[in-house]
Amino acid sequence: MKKVLMVAYQFPPAGGSGVQRSAKFAKYLPAFGWEPVVLTRSDKRIGLRDDTLLQDLPADMEIIRTPPRDLTAFPGILSKVGKFIAWKVLIPDGEILWMKRAVKEALARIGRGDIHCLYTTSYPYSDHLMGLGIKRIYPELPWIADFRDEWTNNPYLLDKPHPAWRARRESLMERMVLETADMLIANTPVMKRNFESRHPDLKLDRRMWVIPNGFDEEDFEQSGAESPDNRFTVTYTGSLYGRRTPDGFLEAAGRLVKTGRIPRERLRIRFIGNIKDQSVIQAAARNGLEGVVEVLPYMTHRDCIGNMLRSHVLLLLEGGRGSECFYTGKLFEYIRTNRPILALVPEKGAAAELIQKTRTGIVCDWSNPRAIEQGLAELYDRWREDRLRLDPDHEVIRQYSRRALTEKLAGIMDGMAGMKLP
């Protein structure tokens, strides 16, 4: 069996959405002839932790863990100082401190002579800088750089741009990765088109593939299907930060409750994840939704899926300039639940296209309050009349299973393993 060195700073037992992609690739690659050797951070002082994710991985998988040098994990007032340095001073990200030490472990492991391919994934972008360093020393080793999100064109960076000097420096870093990697992966077709249009001379159409996020069928088998209770339950899972806020949705829900369009006692809205609950509770109070809105803490991935299955409707939030380029990882689990999605996203974006293609929900433009109100009211009416049923395209949905997506990655790696590189 061929071996691939997977550089993934975000990896179990770390929790959160960022770990799912690499963890599921590592889980299913052996089924397609590739044995993963994972290089990641140590499992100490992890903020969000989900040890159940380790149960997915082969018990004998080789995992190399090195100290994270995580400045954001400092206690007390030092945490603010650490976050400032990690996010504002270190380039391209705070994980560069981890990378500079971990690259020595990577080179030592490759030096044993049994690694056939290198895979790096971002975020953090320091993972790709490690790939650059490895490629300089082992130019014959095929390298795949996987972009879960865009780098210099990241929508959240568009909201809070770097100083011009830093933006230029990171643009050079990004271009070096795009030039040097043998193959590249983008998370969405829109993201791929953006890379191609910004770097037309690199002929990325020949080297960049699209492999989206997905869902793992086994997660749903283990969670089991459960019936929702007798309150119309709308659930959001994930993080809330920056432009990703529930304000527009809560305003729409508040108007429907205030006018009696949806009776207060029939409605429950739940937010689950790494969320600052006080800001959500305050927004709920402003809109007269006390007792309607619940905030549940971060929980294991399987427990989170169980809560999705106990819901009537799943809420998706994403808006602002550039957000049409991507879809969050949880969207694929949403479409697998067989629960309608209420998507507050750009109408002409990647997420809207996926929901319409799979026939799994209602898309309301995130900036249109009236559309949001109408969408929520329609789903409530359908639930009240016992016709809250979907007609999903299961053939399309199956394409997004983690196993199928890993097979595509393995196919790319098989092709690379036979390449004659300089």
Side-chain angles (χ1 to χ4, degrees):
M1 188 176 290
K2 299 181 290 292
K3 291 186 179 182
V4 54
L5 178 64
M6 301 183 69
V7 178
Y9 181 86
Q10 297 180 342
F11 197 78
S17 59
V19 310
Q20 295 292 327
R21 185 176 178 92
S22 299
K24 298 301 184 180
F25 281 154
K27 174 182 178 178
Y28 285 113
L29 274 171
F32 302 104
W34 284 89
E35 178 183 338
V37 176
V38 179
L39 176 62
T40 186
R41 58 161 291 170
S42 74
D43 58 359
K44 309 298 183 185
R45 298 173 65 188
I46 293 176
L48 292 179
R49 189 180 181 101
D50 184 353
D51 288 285
T52 66
L53 296 176
L54 292 172
Q55 299 170 14
D56 263 355
L57 304 175
D60 59 348
M61 178 180 292
E62 182 180 353
I63 302 179
I64 305 168
R65 298 190 181 274
T66 61
R69 305 289 187 260
D70 186 359
L71 300 181
T72 67
F74 286 159
I77 190 66
L78 291 177
S79 174
K80 292 184 178 181
V81 176
K83 289 176 181 177
F84 177 81
I85 296 172
W87 297 340
K88 299 295 184 181
V89 178
L90 297 175
I91 300 174
D93 40 59
E95 288 76 12
I96 192 73
L97 299 178
W98 169 78
M99 184 278 285
K100 287 184 178 298
R101 177 163 178 171
V103 69
K104 298 176 182 178
E105 296 286 343
L107 293 173
R109 182 62 187 82
I110 294 169
R112 290 163 56 179
D114 60 346
I115 299 295
H116 300 84
C117 184
L118 171 66
Y119 165 93
T120 62
T121 182
S122 60
Y123 187 84
Y125 305 109
S126 293
D127 283 6
H128 295 322
L129 297 189
M130 187 185 298
L132 278 174
I134 292 171
K135 191 68 173 173
R136 292 190 186 104
I137 297 174
Y138 290 98
E140 75 288 351
L141 183 66
W143 172 29
I144 300 177
D146 177 19
F147 288 87
R148 302 196 305 270
D149 298 296
E150 292 189 70
W151 186 342
T152 57
N153 196 47
N154 191 295
Y156 291 93
L157 189 57
L158 298 177
D159 291 343
K160 296 181 178 180
H162 291 316
W165 65 269
R166 175 169 176 171
R168 287 192 296 270
R169 185 171 176 185
E170 291 203 33
S171 291
L172 288 173
M173 290 177 172
E174 178 184 56
R175 184 173 176 87
M176 289 173 64
V177 171
L178 296 174
E179 285 179 336
T180 308
D182 299 292
M183 291 291 177
L184 300 133
I185 297 173
N187 198 5
T188 73
V190 180
M191 190 184 300
K192 180 176 184 288
R193 291 196 293 269
N194 284 349
F195 275 120
E196 291 173 352
S197 65
R198 295 177 68 238
H199 303 277
D201 58 313
L202 296 184
K203 303 187 186 309
L204 296 178
D205 58 312
R206 302 178 184 177
R207 294 188 296 119
M208 182 171 275
W209 301 72
V210 175
I211 301 182
N213 288 314
F215 63 89
D216 189 347
E217 190 66 36
E218 291 187 1
D219 289 341
F220 289 83
E221 294 170 356
Q222 294 174 30
S223 294
E226 300 187 43
S227 299
D229 64 18
N230 58 2
R231 291 175 69 185
F232 180 60
T233 301
V234 181
T235 297
Y236 173 88
T237 69
S239 300
L240 295 173
Y241 56 87
R243 62 167 66 176
R244 188 186 295 168
T245 75
D247 294 4
F249 171 73
L250 292 177
E251 289 170 10
R255 285 191 296 270
L256 291 171
V257 168
K258 183 177 180 180
T259 60
R261 180 70 174 76
I262 297 180
R264 171 186 297 275
E265 66 275 9
R266 304 299 302 277
L267 178 63
R268 174 191 285 126
I269 299 170
R270 295 187 303 188
F271 294 90
I272 302 174
N274 185 28
I275 295 169
K276 294 181 179 179
D277 58 342
Q278 198 58 37
S279 62
V280 175
I281 295 300
Q282 289 173 354
R286 286 196 303 270
N287 292 285
L289 294 172
E290 299 94 333
V292 172
V293 173
E294 302 174 357
V295 181
L296 302 181
Y298 177 80
M299 59 185 65
T300 69
H301 185 235
R302 288 172 187 166
D303 286 343
C304 189
I305 289 177
N307 275 282
M308 291 183 201
L309 296 173
R310 288 191 291 273
S311 305
H312 297 104
V313 170
L314 299 174
L315 177 65
L316 185 69
L317 302 172
E318 203 65 68
R321 184 165 63 105
S323 59
E324 69 278 356
C325 301
F326 65 92
Y327 24 55
T328 60
K330 66 172 167 282
L331 175 54
F332 295 90
E333 293 176 334
Y334 277 14
I335 66 175
R336 169 58 184 79
T337 62
N338 203 34
R339 304 291 188 269
I341 300 166
L342 177 60
L344 280 52
V345 298
E347 284 186 305
K348 295 184 179 179
E353 181 180 351
L354 178 65
I355 290 168
Q356 291 158 356
K357 185 178 178 182
T358 55
R359 303 197 300 263
T360 50
I362 293 177
V363 173
C364 306
D365 191 86
W366 66 277
S367 62
N368 187 336
R370 181 60 179 162
I372 297 170
E373 193 172 333
Q374 290 176 338
L376 179 58
E378 177 185 339
L379 289 168
Y380 170 76
D381 288 343
R382 286 165 54 180
W383 169 75
R384 181 172 53 85
E385 297 164 5
D386 195 26
R387 53 184 182 87
L388 190 62
R389 289 178 289 274
L390 290 172
D391 178 29
D393 190 327
H394 293 291
E395 185 174 347
V396 174
I397 291 173
R398 277 193 291 271
Q399 298 174 16
Y400 299 106
S401 76
R402 292 288 189 181
R403 185 181 180 91
L405 296 169
T406 304
E407 184 176 15
K408 186 173 182 180
L409 173 63
I412 296 171
M413 289 161 54
D414 284 339
M416 294 175 65
M419 292 168 56
K420 294 185 180 299
L421 300 174

Coordinates of all heavy atoms in Angstrom, one line a residue, residues 4 16 85 130 141 146 152 203 215 225 279 295 311 334 351 364 392 414:
V4 N 0.8 8.3 2.1 CA 0.8 9.7 1.9 C 1.0 10.4 3.2 O 0.4 10.0 4.2 CB -0.6 10.1 1.3 CG1 -1.8 9.6 2.1 CG2 -0.7 11.6 1.1
G16 N -14.6 20.7 15.9 CA -15.0 21.8 15.0 C -15.0 21.3 13.6 O -14.6 20.2 13.2
I85 N -1.1 38.7 18.6 CA 0.2 38.3 17.9 C -0.1 37.3 16.8 O 0.4 37.4 15.7 CB 1.2 37.8 18.9 CG1 1.6 38.9 19.9 CG2 2.4 37.2 18.2 CD1 2.5 38.4 21.0
M130 N 4.7 24.7 4.7 CA 5.4 23.5 5.0 C 5.6 22.7 3.7 O 6.7 22.2 3.4 CB 4.8 22.7 6.1 CG 5.7 21.5 6.5 SD 4.9 20.3 7.7 CE 4.7 21.4 9.1
L141 N 8.9 14.5 -5.0 CA 7.8 14.0 -4.2 C 6.5 14.7 -4.7 O 6.4 16.0 -4.5 CB 8.0 14.2 -2.7 CG 6.9 13.7 -1.8 CD1 6.8 12.2 -1.8 CD2 7.1 14.2 -0.3
D146 N -4.5 21.4 -0.8 CA -5.9 21.4 -0.7 C -6.4 22.7 0.0 O -6.0 23.0 1.2 CB -6.4 20.2 0.1 CG -7.9 20.1 0.3 OD1 -8.6 20.8 -0.4 OD2 -8.3 19.4 1.3
T152 N -6.0 34.7 0.0 CA -6.1 36.2 0.0 C -7.4 36.7 -0.5 O -7.7 37.9 -0.3 CB -5.0 36.7 -0.9 OG1 -5.1 36.2 -2.3 CG2 -3.6 36.3 -0.4
K203 N -2.3 28.4 -15.6 CA -3.0 27.3 -16.2 C -3.6 26.3 -15.1 O -3.4 25.1 -15.2 CB -2.2 26.5 -17.2 CG -1.6 27.4 -18.3 CD -0.9 26.6 -19.4 CE -0.2 27.6 -20.4 NZ -1.1 28.6 -20.9
F215 N -20.6 14.3 3.6 CA -21.1 13.7 4.9 C -20.7 12.2 4.9 O -20.4 11.6 3.9 CB -22.7 13.7 4.9 CG -23.3 13.0 3.7 CD1 -23.6 11.6 3.9 CD2 -23.5 13.6 2.5 CE1 -24.1 10.9 2.9 CE2 -24.1 12.8 1.5 CZ -24.4 11.5 1.6
A225 N -32.0 7.7 13.7 CA -33.1 8.7 13.3 C -34.0 8.8 14.5 O -34.4 7.8 15.1 CB -33.8 8.2 12.1
S279 N -24.6 37.1 23.3 CA -25.0 37.9 22.2 C -26.3 37.4 21.5 O -27.1 38.2 21.0 CB -23.9 38.1 21.2 OG -23.5 36.8 20.6
V295 N -29.6 28.2 23.4 CA -28.2 28.1 22.9 C -27.6 26.9 23.7 O -27.5 26.9 24.9 CB -27.4 29.4 23.2 CG1 -25.9 29.2 22.7 CG2 -28.0 30.6 22.6
S311 N -34.8 17.8 14.7 CA -35.3 19.1 14.3 C -36.2 18.9 13.1 O -36.2 17.9 12.4 CB -34.1 20.0 13.9 OG -33.1 20.1 14.9
Y334 N -26.4 18.6 6.5 CA -27.8 19.1 6.4 C -28.5 18.3 5.3 O -29.6 17.9 5.6 CB -27.8 20.6 6.2 CG -27.7 21.5 7.4 CD1 -27.2 21.0 8.6 CD2 -28.0 22.8 7.2 CE1 -27.0 21.9 9.7 CE2 -27.8 23.7 8.3 CZ -27.4 23.3 9.5 OH -27.2 24.1 10.6
A351 N -23.7 27.7 -2.2 CA -24.6 27.0 -1.3 C -26.0 26.9 -1.9 O -26.7 25.9 -1.8 CB -24.6 27.7 0.0
C364 N -33.3 31.8 0.7 CA -33.8 33.2 0.9 C -32.5 34.0 0.9 O -31.6 33.8 1.7 CB -34.5 33.4 2.2 SG -35.9 32.3 2.5
P392 N -35.9 14.9 -2.2 CA -34.5 15.1 -2.5 C -34.0 14.3 -3.7 O -34.6 13.2 -4.0 CB -33.8 14.8 -1.2 CG -34.7 13.8 -0.6 CD -36.1 14.2 -0.9
D414 N -3.2 8.6 -7.2 CA -2.7 7.4 -8.1 C -2.1 8.0 -9.3 O -1.0 7.5 -9.7 CB -3.9 6.5 -8.5 CG -4.3 5.6 -7.3 OD1 -3.5 5.4 -6.4 OD2 -5.5 5.2 -7.3

